[in-house]
Amino acid sequence: MASKDRVALPPVNAQTTNLTCHFCIVGCGYHVYKWDENTEGGRAPHQNALGLDFRKQLPPLQVIMTPAMTNVVTDNDGRRYNIMIVPDKGCSVNQGLSSTRGGRLATVMYTANGVGKERLKTARMHTGDKWVDVSWDNALAIYAGLTKKILDNDGPSGLVFDCFDHGGAGGGFEGTWGTGKLMFTAMKTPMVRIHNRPAYNSECHATREMGIGELNNSYEDAEVADCIVAIGTNAYETQTNYFLAHWVPNLQGGTLEKKKKWFPDESAAKAKIVIVDPRRSPTVAVCETVAGKDNVLHLDIEPGTDIALFNGLFTYVVEQGWHDKEFVARYTSGFDAAVQANKLSLEETSRITGVPVAKLQQAADWAYKPKAGGKRPHTMHAYEKGIIWGNDNYLIQSALVDLVLATHNVGRRGTGVVRMGGHQEGYTRPPYPGDSKIYIDQEVIKGKGLMYTCWAANPFQTTLNAEEHRRVFLRRTGIVKEALAGARGASTQQLIDIVYDACKNKGGLYLVSINLYPTMLADAAHLMLPAAHPGETNLTSMNGERRLRLSQRFMDAPGSSKPDCQIAADIANAVKALYQAEGKTDMVTRFSGFDWRTEEDAFNDGFRKAGTAGAPPIDSQGGETGYMATYQLLARAGNNGVQLPIKEVKDGKLIGTEMLYMDGKFSTADGKAIFKPSPWPGLPKTVADQKAKHRFWINNGRVNEIWQTAYHDMYNSFATDRWPMAFLEINPDDGRALGVASGDVVDVYNDYGSTYAMAYLEPSIKANQTFMQFAYFNGIAGDVTTPWVDRNVVPYYKGTWASIRRVGTVADFKDTVSFKQRRFA
């Protein structure tokens, strides 16, 4: 066993498996070594599974190996094993690099006294005043019985879901298929929202309608781009190893030989980068350090003015004649209408965005002006939550892709218009059964829905208008708890009847949470079901360059926890048995087809069946060639996997696609990309009213050290000692005016709610602007987000203005938290 100051080496006979990092979309590759706790390898290269010579000092970055990458786990047979999870130098994604999140993969694997000690190990049921452990049979009897009663009496819309749609932890192709088949084929409910938005929708409707999928290039394209335009993305913190392994070498001039090889008849230089972000993020500071300030252009636009920026650049490019006329004429439609609708002079663009005309011209020169000899520059546009959760998601993406299409910066190597991503991807589901996008949060607030299942989701911390959302949930679920408290000695059927009456006739809501941990939802839930995560289950996911990998199971899940696909199957089979007992063959048929014994069975039933002869309609990121991918071939492909869509299997190897649309054929009915008119609309009235009333813009986002809702990290002192409360970066002059110092607790409030945060004075933050950590368990940014959504029910999380007042001081914050600047210049 490794002590705090040493790391036990894996012996040469250690079990070795592959694992894609659970967390962000980059999907770094790791090797997992597992061996008996009482043995270890030697220091000589032939004595350890790493094959390295630890008898002497290793060269820098020969291997990244820390105590956080080790743990001791106990399998269900009681045997204890050392595990070591280290980055794979042979993986093209991370090339041996490890982020602060992936570097703790071993730490977050379940142990009885470790970070994961609070994991759900059994199903748990609330009796009205306390939680009790119950068997899966007991839990499924309640879940299936209530589901059937609602279907029989109220129809599918009485069943509401908040469910993941992604890969990685709490996701994967197996999980999305299992849950999707349950919700959409068996239950047929349209009352489903996605884990971080209040409807069943995409975050990229416009770009898809324009014929361009949002993941259309390779990470390697960032290495050969002449210019990178980074929009609303803080890549250093949120896609760390993509940034470090693929962006930084280009910004430093380390990929010149590759550029000359790929583009032999073009001039080559180290890349320049244009960063569109109201905030001077750590990414801006790092880029200035590695590339030099002369090669970094920060367009610090006014919040919510991205559409105007793109329209101004689009207009300027067309006026300069820098658009690709031949490409536009041959491969697109709608150009003239977009030019007319989006027309905006640089002077007007400057007035709206606050960016000087000279900087706008410089951005256009770097990104779109033909190179020496007339060659078109290779410019990659990378975007994320800054515009995805920005001022009218649909119009922003339309305006951006109009600019990209005009300059032919898609379908050529070194280009792409790509989202940077949050989670990994992993979508395979039957078609959604609804005919419109339903704003689920508002439906539940209005009293709709009888049974609500949160599956690997935590809306209490992540949704918009979160304070009202929680208040309504606690009130409605409290009605059910009060009814359950009086159900002493009730049978399963009596409990079902009591719950149904409380929901149907008294305004109650029965809440089920399926997750790794209890989470904040435990305050309202009535039933919790324990799930497993990668490493405890086999799981396939796709990263931000569409790279499909298999994370292999290497340890047992705690207690009776199960993979999501198996939980879905158990629920379906339990409901099916109830209908079989009544002889209702039509409902038996709907709940059939869940006879999966393994995760691979679910993968084969969904991902590999899509598009094959006789298969039902399946929406899958694997497309019609997904059937070529088998667990065996993916295991053989290791941490490099295959980039979707798969082209063929050659000599036992999966051959994938590095870049989409290189043939000029786009994802539309006629194969032509479509320009969309996207005139600048101003701010939505709901948001503008808050801006007029409250002084501070409350920007929000993720930070490097914490993943998502901190569902692991809230139990890890390494994280909570650093961030005991969600921090709020404030300009020092604003802090002085408010009487606020770093470490003080402040109240952030507006007409929609209030939340607390830990003040963090930061000189690079502009006056009257702030930045708050998003989705944290202690201080919830969503409490002050308005309920406004765009036409596709995509929230404007970034559109928040509020007032701030000092509450007081927590001595521990000032004593233990470092408030040094986080801009590493």
Side-chain angles (χ1 to χ4, degrees), residues 415-435:
T415 73
V417 54
V418 292
R419 69 168 298 182
M420 293 291 284
H423 294 81
Q424 289 164 64
E425 302 281 315
Y427 192 92
T428 296
R429 277 185 174 148
Y432 171 68
D435 56 6

Side-chain angles (χ1 to χ4, degrees), residues 233-237 275-290 292-294 296-301 359 697 699 727 729 731 762-767 769-771 821-825:
T233 171
N234 180 17
Y236 169 71
E237 293 204 82
I275 301 175
V276 181
D277 194 327
R279 178 176 70 124
R280 179 179 165 79
S281 69
T283 298
V284 176
V286 172
C287 285
E288 289 178 348
T289 299
V290 301
K293 291 185 178 180
D294 290 344
V296 180
L297 183 61
H298 179 204
L299 303 184
D300 51 340
I301 62 173
K359 289 182 72 172
W697 179 47
N699 190 6
F727 68 83
E729 291 183 334
N731 176 278
E762 168 53 54
S764 66
I765 293 291
K766 290 182 180 181
Q769 295 189 6
T770 67
F771 177 83
Q821 277 193 265
R822 303 183 68 249
R823 276 63 173 174
F824 312 109

Side-chain angles (χ1 to χ4, degrees), residues 92 102 277 294 409 421 533 560 660 723 732 746 794:
S92 65
D277 194 327
D294 290 344
N409 276 306
H533 66 167
S560 61
L660 304 183
W723 304 124
V746 296
V794 178

Side-chain angles (χ1 to χ4, degrees), residues 695-696 730-740 761 765-770:
R695 174 180 171 185
F696 292 98
I730 305 175
N731 176 278
D733 290 337
D734 287 339
R736 280 188 286 272
L738 293 166
V740 169
L761 272 54
I765 293 291
K766 290 182 180 181
N768 301 323
Q769 295 189 6
T770 67

Side-chain angles (χ1 to χ4, degrees), residues 609-624:
K609 191 176 287 186
T612 60
I618 298 174
D619 297 329
S620 175
Q621 288 176 313
E624 295 184 352

Side-chain angles (χ1 to χ4, degrees), residues 328-345:
V328 168
R330 185 174 178 183
Y331 296 107
T332 75
S333 64
F335 173 73
D336 291 339
V339 169
Q340 184 63 34
N342 298 5
K343 190 172 184 179
L344 203 65
S345 69

Side-chain angles (χ1 to χ4, degrees), residues 381-449:
H381 298 74
Y383 63 91
E384 197 31 50
K385 294 298 192 297
I387 68 171
I388 285 176
W389 288 351
N391 176 16
D392 198 321
N393 167 289
Y394 190 84
L395 284 181
I396 298 177
Q397 289 188 15
S398 299
L400 171 60
V401 177
D402 284 344
L403 176 60
V404 168
L405 285 173
T407 54
H408 194 185
N409 276 306
V410 64
R412 293 188 299 131
R413 297 315 303 264
T415 73
V417 54
V418 292
R419 69 168 298 182
M420 293 291 284
H423 294 81
Q424 289 164 64
E425 302 281 315
Y427 192 92
T428 296
R429 277 185 174 148
Y432 171 68
D435 56 6
S436 64
K437 298 174 182 68
I438 304 171
Y439 195 162
I440 298 296
D441 286 17
Q442 290 300 312
E443 293 296 296
V444 174
I445 287 171
K446 294 173 185 176
K448 301 292 181 62

Side-chain angles (χ1 to χ4, degrees), residues 163-164 171-180 426 428-429 455 539 564-565 568 602:
C163 192
F164 62 90
F173 287 107
E174 297 81 359
T176 57
W177 176 247
T179 54
T428 296
R429 277 185 174 148
W455 208 318
L539 184 139
D564 293 302
C565 60

